[in-house]
Amino acid sequence: MENKPRLVFSTGAGVSAESGISTFRDSGGLWEQYDVMEVASSEGYHKNPALIHRFYNARRRQAANAAPNNAHLGIARLENKFDVYVITQNVDNLHERAGSTNVTHLHGRLDYVQACDNPELVYKVDDIETGTSVDTVIDGHRVRPHIVFFGEPVPEFENALRIVRQADIFVIIGTSLSVYPAASLLHYVRPGIPVYYIDPQPSADVPHNVRVIAKPATEGVEELINILTHE
Ligand code: OAD
């Protein structure tokens, strides 16, 4: 059987920016319009759960109306030549809708909710238009968005580490590398493997061996595909 090289992507909000989904920390980003502690922390959830339901209902509708861009599509097509894994901080499902078959969501998923009394019980949100509220009950459980709030553990991190440690090529796209533990993934790659970072305004906080492609995701992925298929 053919042994394809393992190509691992670590993506953030920037990979979905050209699909019209706002990033968090860019100018005009979500954290300029909302207080992150109110809508994305466990304290915020306990203080005002109704606000959190409304916030994620709106984001779920926005994501459902967005389409994968050429960066998501290019990553999915690379499965022809590589054993591709996508680890994403994003809560949209644009990688899956582009055709990627192996996606790990570090910070949860907008299209799911979880039982308030058991985070391991997750349910798909059927009615994207209406969404959920503090009164939504599924299988006898009140539910909340399936989002990892600040202050909560990141259950998929161990799984992500296992994938990153076996990468032959590692590619970071569209993240400010400011949220941990996601930002630390790059430090777990095997020494000497090629590491790329596609972002028009890349964080300066990366090791010197990282090859920076300072371009938007769609152009950067096109360039990456040229490099990977001609090197
Ligand atoms: P940020 O908003 O912190 O960073 C977005 C990155 O995308 C920046 O480095 C931008 O330069 C880059 N960017 C903007 N447009 C781009 C484009 N067209 N192509 C490529 N890159 C582009 O978003 P994240 O790093 O993903 O967590 O944020 C990490 C986490 O912080 C999120 O998952 C979210 C947030 O709080 C939770 O809500 C749990």
Side-chain angles (χ1 to χ4, degrees), residues 11-15 17-18 23-26 31 36 40 56 59 89-90 107 147-150 173-179 197-203 215-218:
T11 68
V15 77
E18 290 163 271
T23 62
F24 297 93
R25 296 174 183 78
D26 288 307
W31 296 160
V36 54
Y56 289 100
R59 295 195 57 211
Q89 295 171 77
N90 297 346
H107 294 162
I147 300 290
V148 175
F149 293 140
F150 285 102
I173 307 181
T175 170
S176 59
L177 294 173
S178 48
V179 173
Y197 177 21
I198 300 169
D199 194 305
Q201 289 177 290
S203 157
K215 293 186 174 170
T218 51

Side-chain angles (χ1 to χ4, degrees), residues 27-49:
S27 136
L30 277 173
W31 296 160
E32 247 176 44
Q33 301 162 52
Y34 297 91
D35 179 344
V36 54
M37 292 318 280
E38 281 183 8
V39 297
S41 75
S42 43
E43 291 93 328
Y45 177 69
H46 288 109
K47 224 166 70 189
N48 192 349

Side-chain angles (χ1 to χ4, degrees), residues 67-152:
N69 63 48
N70 282 339
H72 301 105
L73 293 166
I75 292 169
R77 273 198 302 274
L78 280 163
E79 290 191 13
N80 292 334
K81 293 208 161 75
F82 296 89
D83 190 13
V84 176
Y85 288 76
V86 178
I87 300 164
T88 187
Q89 295 171 77
N90 297 346
V91 293
D92 65 53
N93 61 3
L94 294 178
H95 283 299
E96 286 89 345
R97 284 165 56 202
S100 283
T101 57
N102 204 333
V103 184
T104 301
H105 286 268
L106 285 176
H107 294 162
R109 291 183 62 154
L110 279 173
D111 47 359
Y112 283 79
V113 287
Q114 65 192 49
C116 293
D117 57 358
N118 181 356
E120 286 178 15
L121 291 177
V122 296
Y123 306 97
K124 195 144 195 339
V125 179
D126 291 327
D127 187 346
I128 302 278
E129 276 314 305
T130 312
T132 58
S133 75
V134 286
D135 299 320
T136 307
V137 172
I138 304 178
D139 271 357
H141 300 272
R142 278 189 194 282
V143 294
R144 53 160 264 193
H146 181 46
I147 300 290
V148 175
F149 293 140
F150 285 102
E152 293 182 334

